Amino acid sequence: MQEQSEGQVTAAVHQPRDVQVGFYHLTRTSFEAALPTLLERTLETGERAVVRCQDSGQVSALDNALWATPPGVWLPHGSQAMGHADRQPIWLTACDESPNGAAFLFRINGAWDGELTGFTRIFDLFDGHNDEAVQHARLRWQKMKQAGYRMAYWQQQAKGWAKR
């Protein structure tokens, strides 16, 4: 549940058993190509998202990709450069922050070292063509499963995703 307090948006604390975690194994497209569809579905459910990037260059690349979506798709978003976090349904960042009160966290190649308890859903997207990224994803999976998170694994197919 999100609450407004003196212009600040805060998120509730959730136990791992109440948080759904999906690992998304990218084998066909880039992060910039895969994220718009997932973020569009997030907004359709009425939720807010924070996308944790690895660095400011990735924030910029995703910003450009979200503005270049096909006609009829609009993904309103912002970043530290734009400000007004509390008004942004999607927040792009290279820091461990959720200033828009997001319930959904999108981690790019595991980016995010902070607490995960403020989210109801976590999307962990990783590059399936990078052996190091795959190994790190396996370690994150094991740690999160042991911590009691509800886990799912999705692998990109020729068309769409397959749950494994």
Side-chain angles (χ1 to χ4, degrees):
M1 172 182 248
Q2 299 173 6
E3 299 176 8
Q4 286 256 333
S5 172
E6 297 178 25
Q8 298 281 21
V9 180
T10 58
V13 175
H14 304 282
Q15 297 300 313
R17 69 180 175 276
D18 300 325
V19 179
Q20 182 180 345
V21 178
F23 275 70
Y24 289 78
H25 189 159
L26 299 176
T27 58
R28 184 175 40 86
T29 64
S30 66
F31 298 112
E32 294 85 1
L35 268 171
T37 302
L38 295 170
L39 290 170
E40 183 179 20
R41 290 180 184 160
T42 296
L43 295 181
E44 287 172 356
T45 66
E47 293 294 347
R48 289 174 167 239
V50 63
V51 180
R52 173 56 162 92
C53 302
Q54 295 184 306
D55 55 41
S56 59
Q58 193 171 53
V59 170
S60 180
L62 285 174
D63 176 42
N64 291 331
L66 296 184
W67 288 128
T69 55
V73 177
W74 184 55
L75 297 171
H77 64 280
S79 67
Q80 191 174 28
M82 297 169 218
H84 305 288
D86 58 329
R87 299 183 199 165
Q88 306 295 343
I90 299 169
W91 185 253
L92 307 176
T93 184
C95 302
D96 290 347
E97 63 178 356
S98 183
N100 66 340
F104 288 12
L105 168 64
F106 289 78
R107 300 170 75 180
I108 307 299
N109 272 339
W112 185 281
D113 292 322
E115 289 292 318
L116 299 171
T117 57
F119 303 100
T120 59
R121 190 148 182 213
I122 299 169
F123 299 75
D124 193 308
L125 290 84
F126 63 97
D127 181 356
H129 298 291
N130 180 322
D131 291 337
E132 187 176 339
V134 172
Q135 286 301 104
H136 286 274
R138 287 181 179 141
L139 294 173
R140 288 191 308 276
W141 172 279
Q142 290 170 354
K143 274 180 75 173
M144 294 183 88
K145 187 166 179 70
Q146 287 174 349
Y149 289 91
R150 293 183 296 131
M151 309 295 288
Y153 171 79
W154 297 87
Q155 187 173 36
Q156 225 174 19
Q157 302 297 300
K159 287 187 176 183
W161 297 88
K163 190 173 184 180
R164 304 275 184 208

